Each structure stands twice: as structure tokens, then as C-alpha cells.
């Protein structure tokens, strides 16, 4: 069928719009990655701590950007235990719905805890929406860590994400075992926000409802650990790699076959 001049013009315009959108999203992606790299070049130049009545401390810090020498003041509460730090979560509330999807007060089950000298990560099972929706979700909190004498203290969570059990199960039932793993690699930690050593490693993690998940390999590599968990009464597995280099533009080999 012969294309008219008007249709050709519309077709060319559509291509130009798609090209422009591609440039826009690439620039956003580059900006995020650049911002992530610059986070590692900030230094605490001033620090003042006061004690609170709830077994915590409040620390006011002045953070200086090593590249621009700009200063910003940050106030964080610190607690003696990770459980108290979780209870102190104070993420913003959704104005329309009147709830916070990331503020949690109850740890139903600890799944994994990782810690460095400056940061900590806690993976746990919590309520999807605290006080409103008690279905399960895998929650990830990131904390700042500091030492006061022999005591390690944890800040109120600085970053958070969660995966609803219902959404994860739908992903598995819709696309199958490999699709579920691929989705985790693409979405869960794409910008390595939840990583203790983002300059040198790539922390990858996710879940699997496949009963053969203990045999999981990605590009021939076994996970650092596979942990059996239960979400909304269903048995499944949490898996993570301390360092798995992943490129979403390349084909990934996912297998659940048992290896020797």
C-alpha cells in the first residue's frame, strides 16, 4: 500500500518524538548515575550529638561536598538497636491516601542484615501498609552507622523500598520462574542504592516462588545465599549476590537446574 505524503510526515514526526524521548530518558539515567557517584564524595565536617528520652540520640551533622565545597545540614536520630531504628522511621506520607508505604513499625521476620563501618541494610518481612494493609511485603531499609565507644548505633532509615507479596507472586504466575528473576535484576537495585560498597560491587537480590530456587544460578554463578521465607502463607525464597555484575542490555542466563 502506497503511503501518502501526509502519512509520511506523521511517521517522520513520530520517529523524531520517540528519538527525543530516548535522549531525555538517557539523560535522566546519566544524571541519576552521576548523582549516585557524587554521593561518595561527601564528608562530615561538623557533628553534634544530644540524647533523647527514647533510648536514642539526635546527631546534627554538616556535610560538605568535596567537589563543590557546598555544605548541607542533616539531622538524624540514632538508636542502640536496629529494631528501635526501624520504629523511628519517618518517611513522607502520601498526601492523597494519608499513609506512608515505607514507614514500618513491625518486623515480622528478619531475613538478612548486612553492615559496614558507615551503613547497614536490613531485609525483613513487614506489613504492606502499616495499620491498614497487613498483607506481607519484603522490605529493605538502609541506615547510617556510627560508633560511640563500644556501642554501634543505627540511624533512622535513610532509604527504603518494598515488594508486595501479591505483586511478586503475580510476576511468577504471569511470566514464570526466569521472568521473576529477570524482573528482580532489572528493578530491585538498578541504581545500586541498596549496596554497602557501590564503588566496587553490585549487590543483586530478589525472591523466587520456584521450588528449585536453591539451585538458582545466574550466568553460571550461585547466589551468596538462598533463604527460605514465607509470604502471605506461601513458601518462597529470598536470594542475594554480594557481587554480581549485571548488564540489562545483554542476555542473561538463568537456570534452576542442580549442578555438581
Amino acid at each position: 500500500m502506497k503511503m501518502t505524503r501526509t502519512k509520511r510526515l506523521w511517521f517522520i514526526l513520530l520517529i523524531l518524538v520517540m528519538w527525543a524521548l530516548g535522549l531525555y530518558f538517557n539523560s535522566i539515567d546519566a544524571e541519576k548515575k552521576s548523582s549516585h557517584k557524587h554521593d561518595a564524595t561527601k564528608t562530615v565536617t561538623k557533628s553534634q550529638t544530644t540524647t533523647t528520652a527514647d533510648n536514642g540520640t539526635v546527631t546534627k551533622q554538616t556535610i560538605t561536598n568535596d567537589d563543590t565545597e557546598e555544605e548541607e545540614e542533616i539531622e538524624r536520630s540514632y538508636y542502640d538497636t536496629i529494631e528501635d531504628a526501624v520504629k523511628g522511621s519517618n518517611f513522607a506520607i502520601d498526601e492523597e491516601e494519608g499513609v506512608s508505604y515505607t514507614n514500618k513499625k513491625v518486623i515480622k521476620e528478619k531475613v538478612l542484615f548486612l553492615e559496614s563501618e558507615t551503613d547497614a541494610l536490613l531485609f525483613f518481612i513487614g506489613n504492606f501498609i502499616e495499620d491498614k494493609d497487613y498483607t506481607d511485603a519484603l522490605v529493605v531499609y538502609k541506615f547510617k552507622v556510627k560508633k560511640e565507644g563500644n556501642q554501634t548505633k543505627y540511624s533512622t532509615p535513610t532509604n527504603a523500598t518494598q515488594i508486595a507479596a501479591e505483586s511478586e507472586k503475580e510476576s511468577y504466575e504471569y511470566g514464570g520462574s526466569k521472568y521473576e528473576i529477570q524482573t528482580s535484576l532489572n528493578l530491585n537495585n538498578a541504581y545500586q542504592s541498596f549496596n554497602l560498597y557501590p564503588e566496587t560491587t553490585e549487590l543483586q537480590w530478589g525472591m523466587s516462588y520456584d521450588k528449585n530456587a536453591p539451585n538458582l544460578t545466574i550466568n553460571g554463578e550461585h547466589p551468596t545465599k538462598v533463604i527460605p521465607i514465607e509470604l502471605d502463607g506461601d513458601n518462597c525464597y529470598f536470594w542475594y549476590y554480594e557481587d554480581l555484575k549485571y548488564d540489562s542490555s545483554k542476555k542473561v542466563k538463568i537456570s534452576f537446574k542442580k549442578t555438581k
Side-chain angles (χ1 to χ4, degrees):
M1 184 174 66
K2 197 170 183 180
M3 186 179 290
T4 65
R5 185 170 181 271
T6 302
K7 286 183 177 179
R8 280 200 302 271
L9 289 173
W10 276 110
F11 184 68
I12 292 170
L13 180 61
L14 179 61
I15 291 175
L16 289 173
V17 170
M18 292 177 67
W19 175 74
L21 285 172
L23 288 178
Y24 171 76
F25 285 115
N26 281 336
S27 68
I28 292 294
D29 182 47
E31 184 179 339
K32 284 183 178 179
K33 290 181 178 178
S34 174
S35 174
H36 171 69
K37 289 179 181 177
H38 278 77
D39 285 345
T41 65
K42 293 181 179 180
T43 305
V44 177
T45 51
K46 297 177 185 177
S47 185
Q48 181 181 359
T49 300
T50 56
T51 303
T52 64
D54 59 348
N55 296 323
T57 58
V58 176
T59 298
K60 291 183 179 180
Q61 294 178 328
T62 300
I63 311 294
T64 302
N65 189 307
D66 295 345
D67 296 333
T68 64
E69 296 187 355
E70 292 180 353
E71 292 185 343
E72 60 177 318
E73 288 191 354
I74 296 176
E75 183 174 301
R76 291 194 181 101
S77 296
Y78 283 83
Y79 299 87
D80 291 345
T81 67
I82 205 73
E83 290 82 3
D84 285 338
V86 169
K87 292 176 183 177
S89 60
N90 56 358
F91 294 106
I93 292 176
D94 187 295
E95 293 182 0
E96 291 185 4
E97 300 190 30
V99 297
S100 169
Y101 285 91
T102 45
N103 279 336
K104 311 295 176 185
K105 305 300 178 185
V106 177
I107 299 175
K108 292 182 177 180
E109 179 186 348
K110 289 183 184 177
V111 177
L112 178 69
F113 181 67
L114 302 173
E115 185 176 356
S116 70
E117 291 183 356
T118 58
D119 298 276
L121 293 172
L122 177 65
F123 297 78
F124 66 97
I125 298 171
N127 297 315
F128 177 52
I129 304 176
E130 204 71 80
D131 296 329
K132 286 202 173 187
D133 186 339
Y134 296 100
T135 58
D136 289 337
L138 178 74
V139 187
V140 189
Y141 270 5
K142 189 173 185 178
F143 311 82
K144 298 302 293 182
V145 174
K146 71 172 183 175
K147 286 278 190 180
E148 289 185 3
N150 295 325
Q151 176 70 52
T152 301
K153 289 183 173 284
Y154 305 96
S155 74
T156 46
T158 58
N159 203 352
T161 189
Q162 70 172 350
I163 302 172
E166 183 179 3
S167 299
E168 184 69 21
K169 191 174 182 181
E170 285 177 355
S171 174
Y172 169 71
E173 292 176 343
Y174 168 79
S177 304
K178 293 184 179 181
Y179 174 83
E180 184 185 17
I181 302 298
Q182 183 83 64
T183 301
S184 295
L185 291 171
N186 288 337
L187 299 179
N188 289 359
N189 206 16
Y191 294 106
Q192 292 298 298
S193 304
F194 300 93
N195 189 352
L196 301 179
Y197 309 100
E199 297 85 5
T200 56
T201 67
E202 289 187 27
L203 181 71
Q204 309 291 353
W205 53 271
M207 291 179 287
S208 174
Y209 279 86
D210 192 301
K211 64 181 180 180
N212 294 312
N215 302 326
L216 172 68
T217 59
I218 300 176
N219 291 337
E221 295 185 41
H222 289 280
T224 302
K225 199 168 187 180
V226 178
I227 303 170
I229 60 175
E230 185 178 295
L231 294 173
D232 287 343
D234 295 317
N235 294 323
C236 61
Y237 294 89
F238 170 85
W239 54 266
Y240 84 100
Y241 288 80
E242 287 182 345
D243 185 19
L244 177 70
K245 300 299 187 287
Y246 173 69
D247 185 345
S248 59
S249 67
K250 296 179 180 178
K251 187 175 181 180
V252 62
K253 186 177 180 181
I254 300 168
S255 174
F256 290 89
K257 293 180 180 179
K258 192 171 184 178
T259 57
K260 294 181 180 180

